[in-house]
């Protein structure tokens, strides 16, 4: 009996918590513009309270099954009814959000708009989108094709190690998200990654001890990326140090000292017929070579191509006056 009394006291407390959570969900459902995030959170709270109350009811039923049977059934029906109503409201707003989150005139928008905007149709629209556009094999093919494009694009920026590494990491990460890990597809990814590397780095890589790892493509790929990452980090530290002290400026001396003296006019300079042309960076208009631009190293390849195309510069040598097809460099 003592155990039964304790259970009844616990049931009273659980009923109060359940009623409070139930009333909160009802208030949110009655609102016209309800915040579905808040509604979902309160619905989860209600489920927790109902589960706890159900456990207490089950414990009491073991002692008094006949008296408590009707109460348990009524409690379960209330939870089911309000949960169904809340889920319909949540799915209705999600369906509307799904429409506006797609591009107007796209095939995805047309598929979603083909379903009437109701809460019951939201799961159907999601299933249809997954069937049409969520095929795993097609997504993998898209990223593999992007990888192949990357091999073609990065050869024009072989001196920018940071951009190469960032783009490689992006593509490998995307494939790993789709389940194409380096464990499964190392034999495919290894030659693609190797083709993106600068020639000087590949020569050093093939002379290293890590290159001779047998026929294990996985170990070879991991070792290649690890060494390339270390090379990129080293390059970034050098760029940071050189830029911070102005050592990359063309007027700086090799020993790091920079004289703040004005240019002196001499007879030789006055009689000189060759005009000195200052070097100007195509990316930031700074007084340095375009290949040594620190700002350009942070740009994506698409941004660099856009700047070069707009200014009429060669994609290969970064000089004006000709295109990459007629480049003699």
């Amino acid at each position: 009996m003592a155990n039964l009394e304790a259970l009844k006291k616990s049931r009273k407390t659980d009923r109060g918590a359940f009623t409070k959570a139930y009333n909160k969900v009802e208030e949110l459902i009655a609102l016209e513009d309800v915040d579905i995030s808040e509604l979902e959170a309160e619905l989860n709270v209600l489920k927790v309270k109902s589960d706890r109350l159900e456990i207490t009811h089950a414990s009491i039923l073991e002692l008094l099954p006949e008296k408590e049977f009707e109460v348990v059934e009524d409690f379960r029906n209330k939870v089911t009814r309000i949960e169904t109503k809340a889920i319909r409201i949540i799915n209705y707003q999600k369906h509307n959000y799904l429409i506006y989150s797609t591009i107007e005139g796209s095939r995805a928008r047309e598929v979603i708009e083909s379903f009437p905007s109701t809460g019951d149709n939201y799961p159907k629209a999601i299933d249809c989108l997954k069937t049409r556009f969520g095929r795993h094999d097609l997504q993998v093919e898209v990223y593999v094709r992007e990888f192949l494009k990357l091999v073609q694009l990065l050869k024009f920026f072989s001196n920018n190690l940071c951009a190469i590494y960032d783009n490689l990491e992006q593509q490998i990460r995307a494939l790993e998200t789709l389940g194409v890990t380096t464990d499964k597809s190392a034999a495919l990814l290894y030659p693609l990654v190797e083709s993106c590397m600068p020639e000087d780095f590949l020569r050093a890589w093939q002379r290293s001890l890590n290159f001779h790892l047998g026929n294990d493509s996985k170990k070879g790929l991991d070792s290649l990326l690890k060494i390339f990452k270390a090379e990129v980090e080293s390059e970034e530290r050098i760029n940071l140090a050189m830029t911070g002290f102005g050592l990359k400026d063309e007027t700086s001396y090799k020993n790091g000292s920079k004289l703040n003296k004005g240019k002196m006019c001499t007879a030789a300079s006055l009689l000189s017929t060759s005009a000195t042309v200052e070097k100007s960076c195509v990316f930031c208009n700074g007084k340095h070579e375009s290949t040594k631009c620190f700002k350009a190293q942070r740009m994506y390849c698409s941004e660099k191509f856009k700047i070069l195309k707009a200014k009429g510069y060669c994609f290969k040598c970064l000089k004006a006056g000709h295109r990459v097809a007629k480049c003699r460099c």
Side-chain angles (χ1 to χ4, degrees):
M1 292 296 294
N3 190 22
L4 180 60
E5 292 297 326
L7 287 174
K8 287 184 176 181
K9 289 182 180 180
S10 177
R11 182 184 62 183
K12 184 177 180 180
T13 304
D14 294 340
R15 274 180 176 172
F18 169 78
T19 303
K20 184 178 179 180
Y22 183 87
N23 292 337
K24 181 64 176 178
V25 174
E26 276 193 329
E27 291 177 5
L28 293 175
I29 290 176
L31 298 176
E32 293 183 1
D33 297 327
V34 60
D35 185 357
I36 61 173
S37 299
E38 184 180 0
L39 181 57
E40 284 182 326
E42 293 297 334
L43 189 61
N44 290 331
V45 172
L46 178 62
K47 290 179 180 179
V48 173
K49 301 299 182 183
S50 64
D51 291 342
R52 185 171 180 178
L53 182 58
E54 188 173 358
I55 293 173
T56 306
H57 273 299
S59 300
I60 295 177
L61 279 175
E62 293 179 358
L63 301 176
L64 299 173
E66 296 181 358
K67 291 184 179 180
E68 298 294 332
F69 179 74
E70 294 182 359
V71 177
V72 175
E73 288 299 321
D74 180 66
F75 149 71
R76 289 175 179 172
N77 290 335
K78 286 179 67 176
V79 174
T80 303
R81 285 196 301 269
I82 197 169
E83 184 178 0
T84 303
K85 191 182 296 184
I87 289 176
R88 284 179 178 174
I89 295 175
I90 292 170
N91 287 344
Y92 172 75
Q93 291 199 18
K94 285 184 176 180
H95 188 275
N96 291 334
Y97 175 77
L98 193 62
I99 293 175
Y100 293 108
S101 63
T102 53
I103 300 175
E104 186 176 358
S106 63
R107 288 186 298 166
R109 172 71 71 87
E110 293 176 358
V111 170
I112 298 171
E113 289 180 341
S114 65
F115 291 89
S117 184
T118 62
D120 295 334
N121 284 331
Y122 173 73
K124 299 177 183 178
I126 292 295
D127 291 338
C128 187
L129 286 175
K130 289 181 178 179
T131 304
R132 290 284 302 277
F133 308 105
R135 289 177 53 187
H136 183 269
D137 55 340
L138 291 181
Q139 292 180 6
V140 172
E141 288 181 12
V142 168
Y143 282 107
V144 171
R145 294 177 191 276
E146 289 295 325
F147 216 131
L148 294 174
K149 289 181 183 178
L150 185 64
V151 175
Q152 297 295 324
L153 292 175
L154 290 181
K155 66 181 181 181
F156 297 115
F157 296 95
S158 58
N159 58 337
N160 194 339
L161 300 182
C162 298
I164 296 174
Y165 181 77
D166 291 340
N167 282 277
L168 283 175
E169 280 285 300
Q170 179 183 355
Q171 296 300 327
I172 293 175
R173 196 181 303 116
L175 290 173
E176 287 180 347
T177 304
L178 295 173
V180 184
T181 60
T182 54
D183 296 333
K184 300 178 181 178
S185 306
L188 171 66
L189 296 177
Y190 181 77
L192 292 176
V193 173
E194 198 175 34
S195 299
C196 296
M197 301 298 177
E199 183 179 353
D200 295 339
F201 177 80
L202 283 179
R203 293 183 185 276
W205 157 250
Q206 292 182 2
R207 287 194 298 266
S208 67
L209 297 176
N210 294 313
F211 177 72
H212 304 285
L213 295 173
N215 297 323
D216 194 340
S217 300
K218 173 66 170 60
K219 291 183 179 179
L221 179 60
D222 291 342
S223 179
L224 177 61
L225 291 174
K226 184 178 180 180
I227 294 176
F228 191 57
K229 181 181 179 181
E231 190 73 17
V232 170
E233 291 175 351
S234 176
E235 186 71 17
E236 286 180 339
R237 290 185 65 87
I238 293 173
N239 288 334
L240 181 62
M242 299 291 283
T243 306
F245 290 97
L247 296 179
K248 282 201 169 184
D249 196 324
E250 293 295 331
T251 59
S252 301
Y253 291 95
K254 291 183 179 180
N255 58 3
S257 62
K258 185 176 181 180
L259 300 178
N260 294 322
K261 297 181 179 180
K263 294 183 178 179
M264 297 179 63
C265 295
T266 61
S269 62
L270 292 174
L271 293 174
S272 177
T273 57
S274 60
T276 303
V277 180
E278 292 185 354
K279 296 180 180 179
S280 177
C281 175
V282 64
F283 299 110
C284 67
N285 297 324
K287 296 180 180 180
H288 54 262
E289 294 181 3
S290 301
T291 56
K292 298 180 180 179
C293 181
F294 184 71
K295 183 178 179 180
Q297 293 179 4
R298 300 181 179 180
M299 295 181 181
Y300 290 103
C301 291
S302 57
E303 297 178 17
K304 296 177 183 178
F305 278 124
K306 187 176 180 180
I307 294 174
L308 293 174
K309 186 176 181 180
K311 295 185 178 181
Y313 276 65
C314 175
F315 289 171
K316 185 176 182 182
C317 65
L318 307 182
K319 295 180 181 179
H322 62 275
R323 296 293 183 180
V324 65
K326 298 181 179 180
C327 183
R328 302 295 183 183
C329 297

